[in-house]
Amino acid sequence: MFKTIEWKDNKVVMLDQTLLPNKVIYRKFINYNDVAKAIEDLLVRGAPAIGVAAAMGVALGVSRLKAKNITELKRGFKKITTRLARTRPTAVNLFWAIEKMTSVFEKALNDQKTIQQITKILIAEAKSLCREDVEINKRMGKNGAKLIKNNSTILTHCNAGALATAGYGTALGVIRAAVEAKKNIKVFADETRPILQGARLTAWELMEDNIDVTLITDNMAGYAMQQGLIDAVVVGTDRVAANGDVANKIGTYSVAVLAKAHNIPFYVAAPTSTIDEKIKHGKDIPIEERSPKEVTSVLGKHIAPNKVKVINPAFDVTPAKLVTAIITEDGVLKAPYTANIKKLFLNKNKG
Ligand code: MRU
């Protein structure tokens, strides 16, 4: 199985997702600014993978700082985290991971650790976030697999797989766990314009795992449902609001509306790090607007008249009322979401 991201020989190594499925090329990073650029350019993408990349970017930046004293270290740390936090606004995992690294940094400062010790602590934390992400996905997968009936065909949108995480995947983790539980599962993958994560990434990683996948263009989802070809939808998410509204790749909302119209369950796989209790409603989730070029061209080929007006929101918000269940590593949440999300965090903070 390929590795999406890892810390190796004091470098960050990432699979270049912009080249998939045509080339499998790993890039080595020795500079935090290049890690930030890689997040912006979608070389690494998917909410949990962005979080791990940011944590490793912080550790990498600090390890190359050459700070002479704690004041320089603090100044450098602030510069690194500010740069990484500016990369992509929607996936809350980015900010969650930077906050984790910041609290570890502050504790180490309080404990009067040396610069060398602090660097080691930050590297260890980034590596552990990476390891934990895979464990969380496996737990989430097991919880979600129980909802998936034998002989089901699952529609998914974008890529919420091993490529979007440190490994195993969220939505594709649920599918992997159902397959591991010996269920007969087929997958339909939306191609996911404008950047084609479904065609380039989901189809590729499922085929690598010998999971039965059929690729469709985004506008075929309604047809597939109407023909009775889809039994359930499982998607990932970049941020869940406190009321259960879910931000995910542009086009997810259309799929949710179609699922509702055809009485098909619509499941969202979300590690608890993706739930943002500070955001009350989905309408307050910041939606990234990307370059119009992604819409006016396909894989570098221009397909629209010059100067045509374009919008390019990278994500949309699916209202909680269209979500059948949110699958987390700590259990499956159903409506009423506001109360059940609150309860989940109360129990988590107690435990
Ligand atoms: O723009 P991307 O490719 O980073 O968008 C990714 C998605 O929308 C995923 O569905 C989401 O991050 C969940 S990943 C486990």
PDB file of all heavy atoms in Angstrom, residues 194-211:
ATOM      1  N   PRO A 194     -13.996  20.474 -10.315  1.00  0.00           N
ATOM      2  CA  PRO A 194     -13.091  20.717 -11.448  1.00  0.00           C
ATOM      3  C   PRO A 194     -11.757  19.966 -11.423  1.00  0.00           C
ATOM      4  O   PRO A 194     -11.107  19.838 -12.452  1.00  0.00           O
ATOM      5  CB  PRO A 194     -12.835  22.220 -11.358  1.00  0.00           C
ATOM      6  CG  PRO A 194     -13.019  22.563  -9.937  1.00  0.00           C
ATOM      7  CD  PRO A 194     -14.082  21.627  -9.405  1.00  0.00           C
ATOM      8  N   ILE A 195     -11.346  19.435 -10.251  1.00  0.00           N
ATOM      9  CA  ILE A 195      -9.972  18.903 -10.170  1.00  0.00           C
ATOM     10  C   ILE A 195      -9.910  17.382 -10.326  1.00  0.00           C
ATOM     11  O   ILE A 195      -8.852  16.780 -10.304  1.00  0.00           O
ATOM     12  CB  ILE A 195      -9.346  19.334  -8.810  1.00  0.00           C
ATOM     13  CG1 ILE A 195      -9.301  20.853  -8.695  1.00  0.00           C
ATOM     14  CG2 ILE A 195      -7.947  18.829  -8.621  1.00  0.00           C
ATOM     15  CD1 ILE A 195      -8.338  21.476  -9.660  1.00  0.00           C
ATOM     16  N   LEU A 196     -11.094  16.762 -10.431  1.00  0.00           N
ATOM     17  CA  LEU A 196     -11.185  15.325 -10.758  1.00  0.00           C
ATOM     18  C   LEU A 196     -10.582  14.386  -9.712  1.00  0.00           C
ATOM     19  O   LEU A 196      -9.971  13.374 -10.048  1.00  0.00           O
ATOM     20  CB  LEU A 196     -10.542  15.076 -12.138  1.00  0.00           C
ATOM     21  CG  LEU A 196     -11.148  15.882 -13.291  1.00  0.00           C
ATOM     22  CD1 LEU A 196     -10.314  15.731 -14.556  1.00  0.00           C
ATOM     23  CD2 LEU A 196     -12.590  15.451 -13.555  1.00  0.00           C
ATOM     24  N   GLN A 197     -10.770  14.723  -8.434  1.00  0.00           N
ATOM     25  CA  GLN A 197     -10.247  13.834  -7.378  1.00  0.00           C
ATOM     26  C   GLN A 197     -10.864  12.440  -7.448  1.00  0.00           C
ATOM     27  O   GLN A 197     -10.235  11.453  -7.083  1.00  0.00           O
ATOM     28  CB  GLN A 197     -10.519  14.423  -5.986  1.00  0.00           C
ATOM     29  CG  GLN A 197      -9.679  15.624  -5.617  1.00  0.00           C
ATOM     30  CD  GLN A 197     -10.369  16.918  -5.954  1.00  0.00           C
ATOM     31  OE1 GLN A 197     -11.169  16.974  -6.898  1.00  0.00           O
ATOM     32  NE2 GLN A 197     -10.076  17.971  -5.229  1.00  0.00           N
ATOM     33  N   GLY A 198     -12.138  12.374  -7.895  1.00  0.00           N
ATOM     34  CA  GLY A 198     -12.806  11.071  -7.971  1.00  0.00           C
ATOM     35  C   GLY A 198     -12.187  10.198  -9.053  1.00  0.00           C
ATOM     36  O   GLY A 198     -11.874   9.027  -8.836  1.00  0.00           O
ATOM     37  N   ALA A 199     -12.011  10.799 -10.235  1.00  0.00           N
ATOM     38  CA  ALA A 199     -11.462  10.037 -11.367  1.00  0.00           C
ATOM     39  C   ALA A 199      -9.987   9.717 -11.150  1.00  0.00           C
ATOM     40  O   ALA A 199      -9.537   8.587 -11.332  1.00  0.00           O
ATOM     41  CB  ALA A 199     -11.634  10.843 -12.659  1.00  0.00           C
ATOM     42  N   ARG A 200      -9.221  10.725 -10.733  1.00  0.00           N
ATOM     43  CA  ARG A 200      -7.770  10.535 -10.653  1.00  0.00           C
ATOM     44  C   ARG A 200      -7.351   9.759  -9.399  1.00  0.00           C
ATOM     45  O   ARG A 200      -6.428   8.955  -9.440  1.00  0.00           O
ATOM     46  CB  ARG A 200      -7.050  11.900 -10.632  1.00  0.00           C
ATOM     47  CG  ARG A 200      -7.217  12.709 -11.913  1.00  0.00           C
ATOM     48  CD  ARG A 200      -6.342  13.960 -11.910  1.00  0.00           C
ATOM     49  NE  ARG A 200      -6.633  14.834 -10.792  1.00  0.00           N
ATOM     50  CZ  ARG A 200      -5.866  14.969  -9.703  1.00  0.00           C
ATOM     51  NH1 ARG A 200      -4.741  14.302  -9.608  1.00  0.00           N
ATOM     52  NH2 ARG A 200      -6.212  15.784  -8.727  1.00  0.00           N
ATOM     53  N   LEU A 201      -8.051  10.009  -8.279  1.00  0.00           N
ATOM     54  CA  LEU A 201      -7.549   9.504  -6.995  1.00  0.00           C
ATOM     55  C   LEU A 201      -8.389   8.345  -6.440  1.00  0.00           C
ATOM     56  O   LEU A 201      -7.852   7.296  -6.099  1.00  0.00           O
ATOM     57  CB  LEU A 201      -7.480  10.651  -5.968  1.00  0.00           C
ATOM     58  CG  LEU A 201      -6.730  11.915  -6.437  1.00  0.00           C
ATOM     59  CD1 LEU A 201      -6.767  12.988  -5.369  1.00  0.00           C
ATOM     60  CD2 LEU A 201      -5.289  11.589  -6.800  1.00  0.00           C
ATOM     61  N   THR A 202      -9.740   8.559  -6.348  1.00  0.00           N
ATOM     62  CA  THR A 202     -10.575   7.496  -5.751  1.00  0.00           C
ATOM     63  C   THR A 202     -10.539   6.243  -6.615  1.00  0.00           C
ATOM     64  O   THR A 202     -10.337   5.137  -6.106  1.00  0.00           O
ATOM     65  CB  THR A 202     -12.013   8.018  -5.560  1.00  0.00           C
ATOM     66  OG1 THR A 202     -11.956   9.094  -4.626  1.00  0.00           O
ATOM     67  CG2 THR A 202     -12.942   6.940  -5.037  1.00  0.00           C
ATOM     68  N   ALA A 203     -10.728   6.432  -7.925  1.00  0.00           N
ATOM     69  CA  ALA A 203     -10.714   5.254  -8.809  1.00  0.00           C
ATOM     70  C   ALA A 203      -9.359   4.547  -8.719  1.00  0.00           C
ATOM     71  O   ALA A 203      -9.288   3.323  -8.629  1.00  0.00           O
ATOM     72  CB  ALA A 203     -11.010   5.686 -10.242  1.00  0.00           C
ATOM     73  N   TRP A 204      -8.281   5.336  -8.677  1.00  0.00           N
ATOM     74  CA  TRP A 204      -6.932   4.753  -8.616  1.00  0.00           C
ATOM     75  C   TRP A 204      -6.726   3.972  -7.328  1.00  0.00           C
ATOM     76  O   TRP A 204      -6.323   2.808  -7.350  1.00  0.00           O
ATOM     77  CB  TRP A 204      -5.878   5.860  -8.745  1.00  0.00           C
ATOM     78  CG  TRP A 204      -4.472   5.354  -8.679  1.00  0.00           C
ATOM     79  CD1 TRP A 204      -3.793   4.711  -9.678  1.00  0.00           C
ATOM     80  CD2 TRP A 204      -3.587   5.406  -7.560  1.00  0.00           C
ATOM     81  NE1 TRP A 204      -2.527   4.375  -9.253  1.00  0.00           N
ATOM     82  CE2 TRP A 204      -2.375   4.799  -7.949  1.00  0.00           C
ATOM     83  CE3 TRP A 204      -3.687   5.920  -6.259  1.00  0.00           C
ATOM     84  CZ2 TRP A 204      -1.285   4.686  -7.094  1.00  0.00           C
ATOM     85  CZ3 TRP A 204      -2.602   5.810  -5.409  1.00  0.00           C
ATOM     86  CH2 TRP A 204      -1.404   5.191  -5.830  1.00  0.00           C
ATOM     87  N   GLU A 205      -7.049   4.599  -6.175  1.00  0.00           N
ATOM     88  CA  GLU A 205      -6.719   3.894  -4.919  1.00  0.00           C
ATOM     89  C   GLU A 205      -7.610   2.676  -4.695  1.00  0.00           C
ATOM     90  O   GLU A 205      -7.169   1.690  -4.140  1.00  0.00           O
ATOM     91  CB  GLU A 205      -6.633   4.841  -3.710  1.00  0.00           C
ATOM     92  CG  GLU A 205      -7.912   5.252  -3.053  1.00  0.00           C
ATOM     93  CD  GLU A 205      -7.682   5.828  -1.638  1.00  0.00           C
ATOM     94  OE1 GLU A 205      -7.308   6.992  -1.539  1.00  0.00           O
ATOM     95  OE2 GLU A 205      -7.898   5.094  -0.651  1.00  0.00           O
ATOM     96  N   LEU A 206      -8.872   2.731  -5.161  1.00  0.00           N
ATOM     97  CA  LEU A 206      -9.727   1.543  -4.993  1.00  0.00           C
ATOM     98  C   LEU A 206      -9.246   0.412  -5.908  1.00  0.00           C
ATOM     99  O   LEU A 206      -9.243  -0.760  -5.518  1.00  0.00           O
ATOM    100  CB  LEU A 206     -11.191   1.897  -5.267  1.00  0.00           C
ATOM    101  CG  LEU A 206     -11.853   2.784  -4.204  1.00  0.00           C
ATOM    102  CD1 LEU A 206     -13.276   3.139  -4.598  1.00  0.00           C
ATOM    103  CD2 LEU A 206     -11.850   2.117  -2.820  1.00  0.00           C
ATOM    104  N   MET A 207      -8.809   0.762  -7.104  1.00  0.00           N
ATOM    105  CA  MET A 207      -8.286  -0.277  -8.002  1.00  0.00           C
ATOM    106  C   MET A 207      -6.995  -0.888  -7.449  1.00  0.00           C
ATOM    107  O   MET A 207      -6.774  -2.081  -7.575  1.00  0.00           O
ATOM    108  CB  MET A 207      -8.080   0.288  -9.409  1.00  0.00           C
ATOM    109  CG  MET A 207      -9.407   0.506 -10.114  1.00  0.00           C
ATOM    110  SD  MET A 207      -9.247   1.265 -11.721  1.00  0.00           S
ATOM    111  CE  MET A 207      -8.790  -0.168 -12.690  1.00  0.00           C
ATOM    112  N   GLU A 208      -6.160  -0.066  -6.817  1.00  0.00           N
ATOM    113  CA  GLU A 208      -4.930  -0.574  -6.173  1.00  0.00           C
ATOM    114  C   GLU A 208      -5.281  -1.625  -5.130  1.00  0.00           C
ATOM    115  O   GLU A 208      -4.530  -2.536  -4.866  1.00  0.00           O
ATOM    116  CB  GLU A 208      -4.187   0.571  -5.455  1.00  0.00           C
ATOM    117  CG  GLU A 208      -3.484   1.533  -6.361  1.00  0.00           C
ATOM    118  CD  GLU A 208      -2.179   0.989  -6.897  1.00  0.00           C
ATOM    119  OE1 GLU A 208      -1.280   0.713  -6.095  1.00  0.00           O
ATOM    120  OE2 GLU A 208      -2.089   0.835  -8.131  1.00  0.00           O
ATOM    121  N   ASP A 209      -6.471  -1.461  -4.486  1.00  0.00           N
ATOM    122  CA  ASP A 209      -6.911  -2.352  -3.417  1.00  0.00           C
ATOM    123  C   ASP A 209      -7.855  -3.448  -3.921  1.00  0.00           C
ATOM    124  O   ASP A 209      -8.464  -4.147  -3.109  1.00  0.00           O
ATOM    125  CB  ASP A 209      -7.658  -1.524  -2.350  1.00  0.00           C
ATOM    126  CG  ASP A 209      -6.812  -1.304  -1.122  1.00  0.00           C
ATOM    127  OD1 ASP A 209      -5.613  -1.584  -1.186  1.00  0.00           O
ATOM    128  OD2 ASP A 209      -7.367  -0.851  -0.094  1.00  0.00           O
ATOM    129  N   ASN A 210      -8.006  -3.528  -5.235  1.00  0.00           N
ATOM    130  CA  ASN A 210      -8.925  -4.522  -5.835  1.00  0.00           C
ATOM    131  C   ASN A 210     -10.361  -4.386  -5.346  1.00  0.00           C
ATOM    132  O   ASN A 210     -11.062  -5.382  -5.164  1.00  0.00           O
ATOM    133  CB  ASN A 210      -8.447  -5.954  -5.560  1.00  0.00           C
ATOM    134  CG  ASN A 210      -7.243  -6.267  -6.392  1.00  0.00           C
ATOM    135  OD1 ASN A 210      -7.208  -5.883  -7.564  1.00  0.00           O
ATOM    136  ND2 ASN A 210      -6.268  -6.918  -5.801  1.00  0.00           N
ATOM    137  N   ILE A 211     -10.790  -3.156  -5.086  1.00  0.00           N
ATOM    138  CA  ILE A 211     -12.202  -2.926  -4.724  1.00  0.00           C
ATOM    139  C   ILE A 211     -12.927  -2.503  -6.005  1.00  0.00           C
ATOM    140  O   ILE A 211     -12.426  -1.658  -6.759  1.00  0.00           O
ATOM    141  CB  ILE A 211     -12.326  -1.869  -3.602  1.00  0.00           C
ATOM    142  CG1 ILE A 211     -11.669  -2.417  -2.320  1.00  0.00           C
ATOM    143  CG2 ILE A 211     -13.791  -1.512  -3.339  1.00  0.00           C
ATOM    144  CD1 ILE A 211     -11.622  -1.468  -1.145  1.00  0.00           C
TER     145      ILE A 211
END
